[in-house]
Amino acid sequence: MKNHCSLCSAGQGNCDSCPLKGGSKYIPLSEECNKKILLVGNPNVGKSALFSRLTGVHAISSNYPGTTVGFTQGRFRHGDDCYQLIDVPGAYTLDPTNEAEAVAKRIIDEGGDIVVVTLDACVLERNLYLALQVIETGANVVVALNMVDEARHEGIHIDVEALEKELGVPVVPTVAVSGRGISDLVSRLHEAGPGRFTGMNPENRWKKIGEIIGKVQTVSHHHHTLKDRFEDASVHPFWGAVLGAFIIVAGFLVIRQLGEGTIGLILDPLFESLWLPLLNRLSDVLGPGSLAHSLILGSLIDGGLDFEQSFGLLTTGLYVPIVMVLPYVVAFYAVLSLLEDSGYLPRLAVLFDSLMHRVGLHGFAIVPNLLGLGCNVPGVLATRVLESPRERFIAATLISVAIPCAGLQAMIFGALGNLGGKYVLMVYGALLVTWIILGKILHAFLPGYSPELVVEIPPYRMPSFQGLGLKLWFRIKGFIFEAIPLVLLGVLIVNGLYISGVMDALTGFLDPFFRTVLGLPSSAVGPVLLGLLRKDVAVGMLLPLGLTPSQMVVAVVVLAMTFPCIATFIVLWKELGLIRMLASVGVMIISALTAGAILNGLFLLLA
Amino acid sequence: MKTSIYMLKNGEKAKIMAMPPGMCGRRLEAVGLRTGKIVEKVSGMPFRGPITLDIDGRQIAIGHGAAGKILVETLETGDRE
């Protein structure tokens, strides 16, 4: 991708529309840069699209020290200068009202050589508030007046020269999604300077903004378009729900097709034909039964290594996250990022707000919960978007207890699919009921309050595919570097527990309880306990026991509600801290056993 | 007529008369809801769900609780703009 223009395939600088024509090029992150540019703006103004237009694919994303708020850095060259570009988290104001705004303020306070303030031309008035605040800090400012095309469609005309005069800084009209105006922006960076304003209070600032708007903006009448109607429909109680259901179902069908296709056609054959022969040779060298063999390759199943059941670091430890989970995670994130960048996600938050309030969360908590359906690890990580520790605890606990991840859902279908669809539905029903009841209980008993939903609903937009690709790459990288090491660690710990005999002792201790309360035969106790940590093998062991369908449902529900995998346990620890993690685990065990006991009771009553 | 923003009918326009104090008010002001602004209610979700407002041509959704704390005065049809 080096030296590659983002707009055309002719190569950088070789076509007139190239935004970085005239000696600028993308440069790798390793190079030292002499100028630091801060890219600031309200949320949803196309800041990220602008960022990827300027920096190409060379970017890194990291958390601001001491916070859970991420920001992205990249670099580009123009003339003799190398610019380091920082994508500051979206903020409405520098008097922070949330963690992202606090981080934005800190980054701006630390200062940069140039601050590029991105404004949405469609809602100039509200956007100017942040612009004025930034100018008041005395920074060298250039304004990117973004989405000028959309503003024109909406009948909004902005006099750019007049705005430049009012603010006292360069103003460049841009359309970041298509790349229009980017080269003007780059070539005017050196004109950045302090603007006309110094310290104002909010009241005077709004007054000043009113004056500016009066001078620079004219609005002609805007007719309701088809897009407007579609946008209104998506937050309509009935049509919004219909559209929401359609998008969710379509989304999951796409994810399933993409995931299954990648596994069946590409990854599984690759692992079988290239990786397995290597492992077989290693197996001969280490000798089956040796400690090293048990830890690294696991045990032999029917005389050979089995990716799903051997449970060694290099067999199951790699196979499960890379072959069974990664394709679904990639497909899932692709769909999610598309929904996010097209502007649908906030509408989903509106649809689910009422339900989420019942469990002490607000609409945006739908995102981590949906993510959890792919893999609980990113689901729990995504609870960071929630504001209070109370919300994060409720959401993380609900996800790990009652949201079945892709692997778990495969287990549910594997165990009950051939007994009939109604038993599968029973399990999903039990999980949903648990999600609601447990949420209500946590909401009622945890101290503190949950903030209200306040969210801007941006117009539907065509996503920028470059921005989409960048975002997808960061998410996949996050999964690979955060979840896969945890799975490997988990496999190691579980093997340790078995080899040391801890699991055997526990099985004997809990046997009477499982038989009486859950109504499971003695032979099923071992597999269920085992399944607490090794779901994949549990199903295989339960199937030949000849359990009745109702016993199978109880066993699967208990399994489904305890840890999806030990990686979730570790990520809970990381996100919640030791004490809250233990509380969450306590809730999880109690919920699983209670649900199992109630189901068993119900089956006995109905029988 | 004075009422809370939550009570507006769909499609009804009103002028904001008072905002809730504290953090809640600041979060709302950050997305453009200020005293004196004219807003239109686009829709409301059932079961004490959030309402969607149109303000300066942009849509903002706010939760039922916050919406109940914003006081508005409805505009007669002739008062528009």
Side-chain angles (χ1 to χ4, degrees):
Chain A
M1 287 304 274
K2 211 156 115 192
N3 294 352
H4 199 277
C5 170
S6 56
L7 272 189
C8 62
S9 54
Q12 179 258 326
N14 292 342
C15 59
D16 288 339
S17 61
C18 183
L20 296 176
K21 205 178 71 168
S24 50
K25 64 174 186 182
Y26 306 136
I27 53 166
L29 286 162
S30 50
E31 208 164 308
E32 279 298 312
C33 274
N34 52 359
K35 291 243 164 97
K36 185 161 110 181
I37 302 183
L38 307 180
L39 191 58
V40 305
N42 286 11
N44 306 312
V45 296
K47 208 160 50 66
S48 298
L50 194 63
F51 178 87
S52 50
R53 276 290 163 201
L54 289 168
T55 61
V57 292
H58 297 292
I60 49 166
S61 188
S62 41
N63 276 354
Y64 193 76
T67 70
T68 53
V69 178
F71 69 101
T72 319
Q73 297 185 56
R75 285 158 199 231
F76 67 96
R77 185 188 286 287
H78 180 69
D80 291 333
D81 287 317
C82 163
Y83 295 99
Q84 179 197 11
L85 188 65
I86 295 175
D87 189 0
V88 178
Y92 290 108
T93 160
L94 295 183
D95 301 318
T97 59
N98 60 35
E99 207 181 359
E101 285 176 348
V103 169
K105 181 172 162 45
R106 273 161 70 184
I107 296 179
I108 291 168
D109 285 347
E110 282 166 20
D113 297 292
I114 300 169
V115 180
V116 174
V117 179
T118 315
L119 304 180
D120 177 350
C122 307
V123 271
L124 187 60
E125 180 177 6
R126 198 187 67 205
N127 277 229
L128 277 176
Y129 192 82
L130 179 73
L132 258 56
Q133 280 185 317
V134 172
I135 290 174
E136 285 166 37
T137 65
N140 298 322
V141 174
V142 176
V143 168
L145 186 63
N146 200 25
M147 305 198 189
V148 282
D149 57 337
E150 212 174 287
R152 211 182 49 240
H153 283 300
E154 288 184 18
I156 299 167
H157 176 79
I158 293 163
D159 183 340
V160 175
E161 272 174 38
L163 183 60
E164 216 163 63
K165 225 172 84 194
E166 287 296 323
L167 298 177
V169 299
V171 176
V172 186
T174 57
V175 182
V177 175
S178 72
R180 219 183 90 197
I182 305 291
S183 58
D184 294 342
L185 180 67
V186 171
S187 64
R188 291 191 69 183
L189 282 175
H190 69 275
E191 292 174 38
R196 291 186 47 200
F197 309 106
T198 47
M200 282 188 276
N201 63 25
E203 203 176 321
N204 287 339
R205 205 175 285 134
W206 282 120
K207 226 168 97 188
K208 187 74 212 164
I209 291 168
E211 287 169 26
I212 297 174
I213 290 291
K215 286 179 192 162
V216 307
Q217 180 175 291
T218 42
V219 182
S220 53
H221 191 67
H222 165 61
H223 291 282
H224 261 253
T225 60
L226 195 65
K227 192 176 141 213
D228 289 334
R229 283 174 202 282
F230 191 53
E231 279 168 5
D232 288 353
S234 58
V235 289
H236 183 274
F238 177 72
W239 293 112
V242 171
L243 186 71
F246 175 78
I247 287 179
I248 290 174
V249 170
F252 273 97
L253 286 179
V254 169
I255 291 162
R256 211 174 141 196
Q257 289 298 325
L258 277 177
E260 268 180 9
T262 322
I263 295 172
L265 297 175
I266 305 171
L267 290 178
D268 206 29
L270 265 172
F271 256 64
E272 289 289 337
S273 60
L274 295 177
W275 189 231
L276 191 60
L278 279 177
L279 293 183
N280 279 334
R281 289 183 58 183
L282 186 64
S283 174
D284 290 340
V285 174
L286 292 175
S290 68
L291 182 65
H293 192 283
S294 308
L295 287 177
I296 297 172
L297 299 171
S299 42
L300 296 181
I301 308 291
D302 297 332
L305 288 171
D306 185 298
F307 280 128
E308 285 179 43
Q309 296 181 40
S310 284
F311 227 73
L313 275 184
L314 295 182
T315 51
T316 312
L318 282 182
Y319 184 84
V320 168
I322 294 177
V323 178
M324 287 172 68
V325 180
L326 184 64
Y328 285 109
V329 171
V330 172
F332 192 88
Y333 282 155
V335 170
L336 187 82
S337 306
L338 193 67
L339 288 182
E340 204 168 41
D341 284 13
S342 62
Y344 185 71
L345 225 45
R347 294 168 168 87
L348 206 59
V350 170
L351 280 179
F352 280 90
D353 187 57
S354 184
L355 172 68
M356 290 293 169
H357 262 289
R358 302 291 186 275
V359 299
L361 301 171
H362 68 58
F364 245 92
I366 189 65
V367 177
N369 276 286
L370 279 179
L371 275 171
L373 284 171
C375 170
N376 276 194
V377 172
V380 171
L381 286 173
T383 58
R384 289 174 180 181
V385 302
L386 304 173
E387 285 136 81
S388 68
R390 175 184 196 260
E391 288 173 282
R392 286 199 283 272
F393 179 81
I394 295 178
T397 306
L398 287 182
I399 290 169
S400 47
V401 174
I403 301 283
C405 70
L408 210 51
Q409 296 183 58
M411 179 206 84
I412 295 171
F413 278 92
L416 294 164
N418 48 358
L419 293 175
K422 74 173 178 184
Y423 296 108
V424 173
L425 278 182
M426 276 182 208
V427 174
Y428 276 89
L431 289 175
L432 181 64
V433 170
T434 306
W435 189 93
I436 294 171
I437 294 179
L438 181 59
K440 274 186 167 296
I441 294 175
L442 290 175
H443 181 34
F445 288 101
L446 286 177
Y449 84 109
S450 293
E452 288 282 333
L453 176 78
V454 176
V455 60
E456 181 177 358
I457 304 188
Y460 285 125
R461 291 190 175 120
M462 196 60 201
S464 128
F465 283 92
Q466 202 180 8
L468 209 61
L470 197 65
K471 185 181 275 184
L472 186 59
W473 168 236
F474 280 139
R475 290 193 157 151
I476 294 167
K477 214 163 75 178
F479 174 79
I480 292 174
F481 290 107
E482 294 191 51
I484 290 182
L486 293 184
V487 173
L488 291 177
L489 183 64
V491 166
L492 203 62
I493 292 173
V494 174
N495 280 350
L497 287 178
Y498 277 97
I499 293 169
S500 62
V502 172
M503 280 313 279
D504 286 339
L506 207 60
T507 310
F509 177 70
L510 288 172
D511 182 89
F513 177 77
F514 272 63
R515 270 182 301 160
T516 49
V517 181
L518 299 180
L520 295 174
S522 212
S523 59
V525 176
V528 169
L529 269 185
L530 183 104
L532 296 186
L533 296 169
R534 294 170 60 170
K535 297 255 147 46
D536 40 351
V537 285
V539 176
M541 290 174 69
L542 282 173
L543 281 176
L545 294 179
L547 297 182
T548 64
S550 50
Q551 283 175 328
M552 200 65 163
V553 168
V554 172
V556 169
V557 165
V558 172
L559 283 177
M561 285 175 52
T562 44
F563 298 107
C565 63
I566 204 157
T568 312
F569 173 80
I570 297 169
V571 83
L572 275 177
W573 190 342
K574 224 174 99 191
E575 290 300 303
L576 299 178
L578 180 65
I579 293 176
R580 282 168 163 264
M581 179 275 282
L582 288 176
S584 183
V585 170
V587 168
M588 172 185 299
I589 292 170
I590 293 168
S591 310
L593 295 180
T594 311
I598 292 175
L599 270 177
N600 179 37
L602 281 176
F603 282 129
L604 287 178
L605 273 178
L606 296 174
Chain B
M1 189 186 67
K2 277 196 180 164
T3 175
S4 87
I5 214 166
Y6 188 76
M7 302 306 290
L8 291 178
K9 293 194 221 27
N10 291 351
E12 201 171 13
K13 287 194 179 184
K15 187 175 182 179
I16 299 180
M17 304 308 286
M19 295 290 296
M23 195 59 168
C24 178
R26 275 172 62 201
R27 284 179 71 216
L28 294 167
E29 274 170 31
V31 294
L33 290 160
R34 301 196 309 281
T35 307
K37 278 268 157 189
I38 291 173
V39 297
E40 178 185 336
K41 184 175 168 190
V42 176
S43 63
M45 287 291 153
F47 312 115
R48 295 156 67 90
I51 63 167
T52 306
L53 301 168
D54 187 303
I55 175 162
D56 294 336
R58 268 304 131 89
Q59 292 187 345
I60 309 281
I62 56 179
H64 157 266
K69 292 185 199 132
I70 302 174
L71 291 181
V72 294
E73 190 164 309
T74 52
L75 298 180
E76 301 302 321
T77 340
D79 286 356
R80 292 197 173 183
E81 309 298 318

